[in-house]
Amino acid sequence: MPLTRDDCTALDAADALAPLREQFELPDRVVYLDGNSLGALPRATAARVQRALRDEWGRGLIRSWNDAHWIDLPQRVGDKIARLVGAAPGELVVADSTSVNLYKVLSAALDLQRQRSPARRVVLSERSNFPTDLYIAQSLARDKGCELRLVEFDQLAGALDEQVAVLMLTHVNYRTGQLHDMAALTRHAHERGALTVWDLAHSAGAVPVDLNAAGADFAVGCGYKYLNGGPGAPAFVWVHRQHVPHFQQPLSGWMGHASPFQFSPEYRAADGIARYLCGTPPVLSMVALECGVDTLLAAEPLGGMAALRAKSLALTRLFRELVDQRCAGHGLHWVSPHNDALRGSQACLTRDGGSDGGAYAIVQALIERGVIGDYRAGESGSPDILRFGFTPLYLCHVDVWDAVEQLHAVLDGDIWRDARFSRRAAVT
Ligand SMILES: *Cc1c(COP(=O)(O)O)cnc(C)c1O
């Protein structure tokens, strides 16, 4: 029996996580399938930022660094994020952007390896890794006389030879949604003498992550995607405690100093992860990020990340089932893995016809109809992608039904072929 919209309504009525959606300010008649790129606005954020502005800054002025505990924000919000990624309190801080944090940890990992095994000069990564990760690695490889070696997903394990210093991967691929087995790859990298750097941009708040159980070495992650911290929210950085006595901070700013307020002319690194701070924390962005992280911690009494993961998989499975039922014959193909164990929290499709397949126009037509997903251009032979992120905190089963209904309408009515959705229209 094909599913109906009423079946989806019944699934929502039985969903213990459904009330979590009330934490968000979402516009009416919008199905938001882009929380993997920019999370939604929590209801609590506007009032909290307002309080930080009016009371803490306006009245408290500089006293608020202490009275309103601004100075503790990187650690306090870091400890909350730690709960989502299998890190212990005091192991993770919020600072800078994902790109900058990646620079800091990759530099540290390469320095550690230079002391231990100077012959290892290779950073190994995936060709389809997110560009900023590759650009940062290219820059560090140039400065440190190393080489960036890029291979495909299934060649990674085999490419871990005696030259590899660091295996640098994004846990969930931003285009395909493919999920690496962090524990297995980390174990394999360690057996082969390499350290691991994990980018959790599409994992933190989306899939369960257990950095300590996996024995990972370094990790970074993004604040504005599944953590709902708002546009340009600061990012986070984590280092395994075994490296804490040894790792270096290449951006040795005063906030990472052991005693920043002694204003000593000599840099002396703070103990632990605090040395990964560089400059003054962006307080307004940090308080907004804290509200975003709190929306995920609100799921803890309901089963936390494991329950959110189960719902995310149910939503991506439902999407697939409905697309296969209702959009058959329209030349769509799945890019995201069918196997639950290999899929993050997004579902991605291509359409026959390469760059003429209309992926861009289909996404534009869907956005006009209130279904916000996104489009990622294919490069070097890989196809254009229609990308839909499924955020279990604020999406329900009926949203999935309604999104597929619109996709069906856009394809079946050839609506996407209208000139206003063409890429040429967007350029002008
Ligand atoms: C989103 C994303 C980033 C973002 O980096 P910024 O410094 O915040 O621009 C980095 N890496 C990956 C894998 C991402 O998905």
Side-chain angles (χ1 to χ4, degrees), residues 34-53:
D34 222 350
N36 51 317
S37 208
L38 176 65
L41 170 65
R43 284 192 202 282
T45 304
R48 177 66 187 92
V49 172
Q50 182 85 273
R51 186 155 59 82
L53 280 169

Side-chain angles (χ1 to χ4, degrees), residues 10-357:
L11 288 168
D12 288 334
D15 173 13
L17 300 181
L20 294 172
R21 179 190 181 98
E22 294 310 312
Q23 300 182 98
F24 294 90
E25 212 61 79
L26 285 160
D28 289 339
R29 285 183 296 279
V30 162
V31 179
Y32 190 54
L33 305 183
D34 222 350
N36 51 317
S37 208
L38 176 65
L41 170 65
R43 284 192 202 282
T45 304
R48 177 66 187 92
V49 172
Q50 182 85 273
R51 186 155 59 82
L53 280 169
R54 288 240 174 99
D55 301 345
E56 297 175 9
W57 181 18
R59 298 202 187 93
L61 293 163
I62 200 164
R63 294 169 290 190
S64 288
W65 281 106
N66 294 314
D67 295 351
H69 309 287
W70 288 350
I71 198 70
D72 304 327
L73 276 165
Q75 279 89 358
R76 184 171 83 227
V77 183
D79 283 351
K80 289 185 174 186
I81 296 173
R83 281 150 65 177
L84 302 171
V85 294
E91 287 186 351
L92 188 151
V93 284
V94 174
D96 301 317
S97 64
T98 307
S99 304
V100 171
N101 287 332
L102 195 64
Y103 182 90
K104 296 188 290 196
V105 298
L106 183 57
S107 170
L110 287 168
D111 287 348
L112 281 176
Q113 286 288 50
R114 191 168 29 210
Q115 292 158 22
R116 295 177 181 185
S117 349
R120 294 179 176 269
R121 316 292 308 153
V122 168
V123 177
L124 178 66
S125 193
E126 209 181 339
R127 191 176 309 284
S128 65
N129 199 346
F130 190 75
T132 203
D133 298 51
L134 301 181
Y135 303 160
I136 292 288
Q138 283 161 21
S139 152
L140 271 166
R142 202 168 49 233
D143 289 353
K144 291 183 180 289
C146 297
E147 176 200 335
L148 174 62
R149 187 181 296 165
L150 299 179
V151 300
E152 305 302 328
F153 184 93
D154 49 6
Q155 298 168 335
L156 280 164
L160 277 162
D161 61 21
E162 68 290 343
Q163 297 182 314
V164 176
V166 178
L167 174 65
M168 178 193 82
L169 291 175
T170 297
H171 186 214
V172 175
N173 187 284
Y174 79 105
R175 296 181 86 241
T176 63
Q178 190 160 12
L179 170 69
H180 285 294
D181 183 338
M182 181 186 289
L185 270 168
T186 299
R187 201 179 323 115
H188 191 61
H190 289 170
E191 282 164 11
R192 300 297 180 93
L195 293 174
T196 55
V197 168
W198 290 96
D199 186 335
L200 306 179
H202 288 272
S203 322
V207 300
V209 175
D210 199 334
L211 289 167
N212 277 315
D217 297 290
F218 297 89
V220 300
C222 184
Y224 52 79
K225 292 172 180 164
Y226 292 95
L227 298 185
N228 307 312
F236 65 87
V237 54
W238 170 87
V239 181
H240 193 282
R241 65 179 83 91
Q242 67 166 323
H243 300 308
V244 163
H246 318 293
F247 75 94
Q248 305 265 343
Q249 153 67 295
L251 304 177
S252 45
W254 71 307
M255 284 290 153
H257 191 279
S259 317
F261 295 98
Q262 280 185 354
F263 300 99
S264 148
E266 293 300 325
Y267 181 73
R268 198 157 44 81
D271 286 340
I273 192 70
R275 89 183 52 154
Y276 263 166
L277 302 178
C278 181
T280 305
V283 170
L284 300 177
S285 299
M286 291 257 183
V287 300
L289 174 59
E290 185 166 29
C291 293
V293 174
D294 284 344
T295 62
L296 284 149
L297 297 183
E300 280 183 344
L302 303 168
M305 283 311 305
L308 288 169
R309 171 66 168 160
K311 179 169 172 188
S312 148
L313 286 173
L315 294 176
T316 49
R317 269 198 306 266
L318 174 65
F319 183 69
R320 181 181 149 81
E321 199 177 323
L322 291 174
V323 168
D324 287 348
Q325 266 174 30
R326 304 186 55 79
C327 304
H330 284 293
L332 294 174
H333 305 283
W334 292 100
V335 174
S336 40
H338 300 170
N339 182 344
D340 283 359
L342 298 178
R343 191 174 68 249
S345 201
Q346 68 189 53
C348 317
L349 294 147
T350 60
R351 187 154 180 277
D352 285 340
S355 54
D356 299 327

